[in-house]
Amino acid sequence: VSIKFILPDGQVKLVNAKLGSTLLDVVLDNNVAIDGFGACEGTLACSTCHLVFSEQDFNKLPTKASDEELDMLDLAYGLTETSRLGCQIKVTEDMNNMQVTVPAGMADARFR
Ligand code: FES
């Protein structure tokens, strides 16, 4: 499926995402240049994979955030109502043409 990343500097990166891979993998596999993204490699320990969705897209995401993800999101920089952690979201067909915003800053929760 096709997913569009809006980077903090306004650049737009359109990528092909494999079904079943996490948005963290999608970012890494497609060399989307986000400094420090996914620092804990998807172990739910850093919050650097923070992504923001439109409300409509947010509701289309395949899973709701677990309590662990919500705790980690609380530590993320610039948290919004429609924030999720990329490493916790697996790509589904419903996510075709989604637009994902990468927040301007990030906080690595491991260094708090
Ligand atoms: Fe660290 Fe997602 S990659 S919490």
Side-chain angles (χ1 to χ4, degrees), residues 46 49 73 91:
C46 74
C49 61
L73 269 171
V91 176

Side-chain angles (χ1 to χ4, degrees), residues 10-59:
Q11 264 192 73
V12 176
K13 176 114 177 155
L14 191 64
V15 304
N16 267 324
K18 245 192 282 155
L19 293 177
S21 58
T22 65
L23 285 182
L24 169 63
D25 293 332
V26 172
V27 166
L28 299 179
D29 291 349
N30 291 281
N31 299 317
V32 182
I34 311 171
D35 237 8
F37 194 86
C40 79
E41 294 169 352
T43 56
L44 212 44
C46 74
S47 85
T48 63
C49 61
H50 176 204
L51 297 170
V52 179
F53 299 84
S54 71
E55 203 175 315
Q56 201 189 0
D57 285 347
F58 185 79
N59 293 324

